Amino acid sequence: MALYMGIDVGGTTVKGIILNDGGKLLAKGHVTTVEGEGLAGCIDMLCEQLVQSAGGVFSQIKCVGVGCPGLIDSENGTVIFAGNLNLKNYPLKKLLQEKIGVPVKVCNDANAAALGEAKFGAGKGYDDSVLVTLGTGVGAGVVIGGKLFEGYKSAGTEIGHMVIERGGNKCTCGRRGCFEVYCSARALTNRTKWAMEEDTSSDMWKTYGLDTADGRTPFEYMDGDRTAAQVVDWYLKHLATGLVNIANIFRPQVIMIGGGVSAQGSRITLPLQKLVDAELFGGVDYAPVKIACATLGGDAGAYGAAALGFEVK
């Protein structure tokens, strides 16, 4: 029986899974991330743990897929740059293959998560999908015809730095009005705190202060508090603008929302669907685009990394 290992490298934790060729989960584990030159050794240690947990042997592992933050040359498995991991021109694939002796594939972590959702999550059953992850920033991965779209030199897509408001707020990338500036979890939190400062009579003050309010706060109070409802409305309208742009460019069958805000479920998907349907080029009769919440949560990257190996012969 062929086994496939998926590794998701995070800033603090490296998570991993083993799937069989039918996609069944056989093992799951994690280790603390080691930055810099020691990353390959850290992943190797997790691989050993996973194989033992699955009760298998390395000869059964068809491929080890790795999703890693940063700019990745997936053709040769090199981490071109990952500042948060202190890596530059790091030959991860080469080093890891030398340690474990099985084929290795490496891609950007957002791409891995998109592939995971496409194969095993909210995108299962669709050929064309996009995952938009709303976290500290806005990340995205695109799957076309069941395969990752990684762009020129496998540089990936930076949908978060698509401008949705010309001359808008300044982004960390140096441009103004980026999708990320308005739709990241940080942007939602900042807007919430600003609104609370503007309206000191808001019900949000009953439970939260400026030091504790976050992106969940306005959703908790939106049904009975005008200011909270206005924050949610502001956020969803900006988010819909970005999603319509994505829909018009790629025309996927489904756009999946990941990150903490996806926990709101239909409270975001229903209004987003209406907004996207109203602005989608050509309307929805011929080629509608479904808006859905991602379902794999923090495991999407590991599942997608494992799926990288399914095409290894």
Side-chain angles (χ1 to χ4, degrees):
M1 177 176 62
L3 303 179
Y4 301 86
M5 189 178 294
I7 304 294
D8 181 27
V9 179
T12 58
T13 303
V14 180
K15 296 181 287 188
I17 62 171
I18 291 180
L19 305 177
N20 65 16
D21 47 15
K24 181 180 179 180
L25 179 66
L26 302 180
K28 183 178 180 180
H30 68 275
V31 296
T32 300
T33 302
V34 176
E35 298 178 7
E37 297 295 321
L39 179 62
C42 165
I43 295 174
D44 177 38
M45 179 172 65
L46 177 56
C47 292
E48 293 279 1
Q49 293 178 12
L50 290 169
V51 169
Q52 292 179 13
S53 179
V57 292
F58 263 109
S59 61
Q60 292 177 284
I61 303 296
K62 190 81 170 179
C63 178
V64 174
V66 182
C68 184
L71 182 60
I72 312 295
D73 182 345
S74 60
E75 291 186 8
N76 60 31
T78 297
V79 181
I80 304 300
F81 178 75
N84 62 330
L85 295 175
N86 193 27
L87 295 175
K88 187 174 182 180
N89 296 322
Y90 184 68
L92 180 57
K93 175 181 177 178
K94 179 176 181 292
L95 293 172
L96 196 54
Q97 281 188 168
E98 290 175 352
K99 290 179 179 295
I100 62 179
V102 300
V104 172
K105 285 191 169 187
V106 183
C107 77
N108 173 267
D109 58 343
N111 284 340
L115 187 61
E117 286 289 345
K119 297 293 186 183
F120 304 103
K124 188 175 181 180
Y126 298 103
D127 291 328
D128 305 313
S129 62
V130 177
L131 173 67
V132 177
T133 306
L134 308 171
T136 304
V138 172
V142 180
V143 175
I144 299 174
K147 299 180 182 297
L148 275 174
F149 171 75
E150 297 183 274
Y152 178 53
K153 289 192 174 180
S154 305
T157 56
E158 286 294 341
I159 285 172
H161 297 288
M162 161 184 62
V163 171
I164 63 169
E165 188 164 322
R166 183 73 177 175
N169 296 337
K170 192 170 184 179
C171 181
T172 55
C173 75
R175 302 179 78 196
R176 288 188 175 275
C178 287
F179 192 20
E180 180 171 299
V181 174
Y182 294 92
C183 296
S184 66
R186 178 185 298 169
L188 178 56
T189 295
N190 289 343
R191 185 71 180 189
T192 301
K193 293 180 178 181
W194 174 84
M196 290 172 66
E197 288 183 300
E198 291 292 303
D199 180 9
T200 55
S201 66
S202 169
D203 287 346
M204 290 187 285
W205 285 101
K206 291 181 178 179
T207 310
Y208 297 95
L210 295 181
D211 58 335
T212 55
D214 59 21
R216 293 168 293 188
T217 305
F219 286 98
E220 289 182 27
Y221 286 94
M222 61 180 287
D223 293 330
D225 183 78
R226 180 181 177 184
T227 297
Q230 287 174 339
V231 171
V232 172
D233 183 68
W234 174 91
Y235 181 73
L236 293 181
K237 282 180 177 176
H238 282 87
L239 181 53
T241 297
L243 298 186
V244 169
N245 290 345
I246 294 168
N248 286 342
I249 293 168
F250 295 105
R251 203 64 173 219
Q253 294 158 291
V254 59
I255 297 176
M256 303 165 288
I257 308 297
V261 74
S262 65
Q264 300 300 327
S266 61
R267 302 189 89 185
I268 63 167
T269 56
L270 291 179
L272 283 174
Q273 189 73 68
K274 290 180 180 178
L275 290 166
V276 170
D277 287 352
E279 297 187 23
L280 187 66
F281 181 80
V284 299
D285 292 338
Y286 176 63
V289 177
K290 181 180 179 181
I291 306 299
C293 285
T295 59
L296 296 179
D299 293 331
Y303 271 89
L308 291 173
F310 280 27
E311 296 177 5
V312 174
K313 297 179 180 180

